[in-house]
């Protein structure tokens, strides 16, 4: 009588051939699963567009650009209680807080002359995009850096 | 004539591999189809938003003066609600939407575009 293991061995040219077939099937299946769960690349373009939008309106809006210039010099928005020697940024923070509140659950970082404002930032950011603009603060050109972080 | 045990074992193993692969293929094909549909709609709404942002009001929402178009600046009369990307008459048919940040009358606003 033929035993099952020997029948298994005889059924294929070799165990190696069967193992190769099984591994190839498993690999191809895993590759398909991985491919089907890949997020669309267009999402990255949209994220970049949002960061660029915020940077663009920051330099075009009278209130924001004035606030950024004051913030770069170490103050808050002109006419605000934080103007001058105050810690600065609170009024600008409020402005950006409103923007991000309307836009969605994103982490926004605004950096000017080494000073930074963070809005709605916490752990769990999975990707970040950046946009930059050059702003004239009355004496020097300073770099405005907008970072937008996205949660999963 | 009965099949030999060798043939039956080989056939069963190959059928098992083929069946498991077809199950995985069916599931992943569904996932790929959904991703592709999502990608097509995302592309459509992004294109629509871009067209509206870069076309002068009333065909788009951009502020134009003396033949000059201001990027990311919306005309004060332009609606920025969920139908910002839709021509008149298609209000309420929106399904897939995205937001863009624009400046309107010197205040930062969010325009919603839908397809």
């Amino acid at each position: 009588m033929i035993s099952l293991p020997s029948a298994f061995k005889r059924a294929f040219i070799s165990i190696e051939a069967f193992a190769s077939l099984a591994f190839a099937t498993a690999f191809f299946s895993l590759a398909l699963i991985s491919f089907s769960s890949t997020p669309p690349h267009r999402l990255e373009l949209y994220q970049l567009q949002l960061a660029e939008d915020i940077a663009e309106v920051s330099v075009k809006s009278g209130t924001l650009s004035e606030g950024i210039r004051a913030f770069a010099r170490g103050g808050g928005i002109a006419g605000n209680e934080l103007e001058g020697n105050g810690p600065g940024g609170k009024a600008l923070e409020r402005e950006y807080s409103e923007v991000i509140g309307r836009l969605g659950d994103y982490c926004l970082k605004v950096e000017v002359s080494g000073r930074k404002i963070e809005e709605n930032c916490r752990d769990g950011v999975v990707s970040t995009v950046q946009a930059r603009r050059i702003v004239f603060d009355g004496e020097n050109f300073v770099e405005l850096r907008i970072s937008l972080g996205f949660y999963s | 004539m009965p099949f030999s045990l060798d043939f039956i074992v080989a056939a069963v193993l190959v059928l098992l591999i083929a069946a498991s692969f077809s199950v995985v293929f069916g599931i992943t094909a569904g996932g790929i189809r959904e991703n592709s549909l999502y990608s097509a709609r995302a592309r459509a709404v992004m294109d629509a938003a871009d067209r509206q942002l870069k076309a002068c009001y009333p065909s788009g929402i951009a502020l134009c003066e003396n033949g000059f178009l201001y990027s990311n600046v919306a005309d004060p009369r332009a609606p920025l609600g969920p139908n910002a990307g839709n021509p008149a008459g298609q209000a309420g048919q929106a399904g897939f939407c995205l937001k863009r940040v624009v400046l309107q009358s010197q205040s930062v606003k969010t325009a919603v575009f839908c397809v």
Side-chain angles (χ1 to χ4, degrees):
Chain A
M1 186 176 168
I2 304 168
S3 66
L4 200 62
S6 69
F8 180 79
K9 281 180 189 169
R10 276 213 297 269
F12 293 90
I13 296 169
S14 68
I15 292 293
E16 289 87 347
F18 174 71
S20 303
L21 182 63
F23 277 118
T25 308
F27 178 77
F28 194 55
S29 302
L30 287 175
L32 271 178
I33 291 169
S34 149
F35 180 67
S36 71
S37 61
T38 306
H41 297 294
R42 219 165 284 277
L43 185 62
E44 293 162 16
L45 175 61
Y46 175 56
Q47 293 173 344
L48 193 63
Q49 282 180 336
L50 283 183
E52 289 288 341
D53 282 352
I54 295 174
E56 191 68 19
V57 298
S58 295
V59 294
K60 280 188 175 160
S61 156
T63 320
L64 280 177
S65 60
E66 194 181 331
I68 288 163
R69 283 193 291 272
F71 187 58
R73 291 191 300 265
I77 290 180
N80 184 275
E81 70 276 10
L82 297 173
E83 165 77 298
N85 297 323
K90 286 288 173 195
L92 200 57
E93 210 170 297
R94 269 200 302 275
E95 293 283 327
Y96 279 115
S97 174
E98 280 179 27
V99 173
I100 211 71
R102 281 196 294 264
L103 198 56
D105 187 22
Y106 308 127
C107 163
L108 174 68
K109 291 178 185 172
V110 181
E111 198 176 337
V112 194
S113 302
R115 305 184 72 202
K116 195 185 277 187
I117 291 173
E118 291 192 2
E119 271 309 315
N120 194 39
C121 291
R122 57 180 190 274
D123 288 342
V125 171
V126 289
S127 64
T128 305
V129 289
Q130 259 191 13
R132 296 174 184 192
R133 293 291 185 277
I134 300 295
V135 181
F136 186 62
D137 73 350
E139 291 174 4
N140 301 301
F141 286 101
V142 292
E143 186 185 52
L144 165 69
R145 194 177 298 174
I146 303 283
S147 296
L148 203 55
F150 298 85
Y151 300 106
S152 53
Chain B
M1 185 183 167
F3 289 112
S4 70
L5 186 58
D6 294 358
F7 179 79
I8 294 168
V9 169
V12 166
L13 288 172
V14 167
L15 281 174
L16 275 177
I17 289 177
S20 62
F21 179 72
S22 67
V23 167
V24 170
F25 186 78
I27 294 168
T28 51
I32 290 168
R33 182 179 172 275
E34 274 184 23
N35 267 351
S36 135
L37 283 175
Y38 177 85
S39 186
R41 296 189 80 184
R43 179 184 176 174
V45 74
M46 283 173 70
D47 287 351
D50 250 8
R51 269 198 306 275
Q52 295 295 313
L53 279 172
K54 290 169 184 168
C56 298
Y57 181 82
S59 51
I61 64 163
L63 172 67
C64 295
E65 281 175 355
N66 304 321
F68 186 82
L69 187 149
Y70 295 85
S71 74
N72 279 82
V73 181
D75 190 280
R77 295 161 293 174
L80 301 179
N83 297 306
N86 284 340
Q90 289 187 1
Q93 293 179 2
F96 196 88
C97 303
L98 64 75
K99 291 177 179 176
R100 296 288 300 266
V101 182
V102 292
L103 200 63
Q104 190 178 44
S105 306
Q106 275 304 308
S107 65
V108 182
K109 291 188 178 166
T110 307
V112 183
F113 300 91
C114 300
V115 289

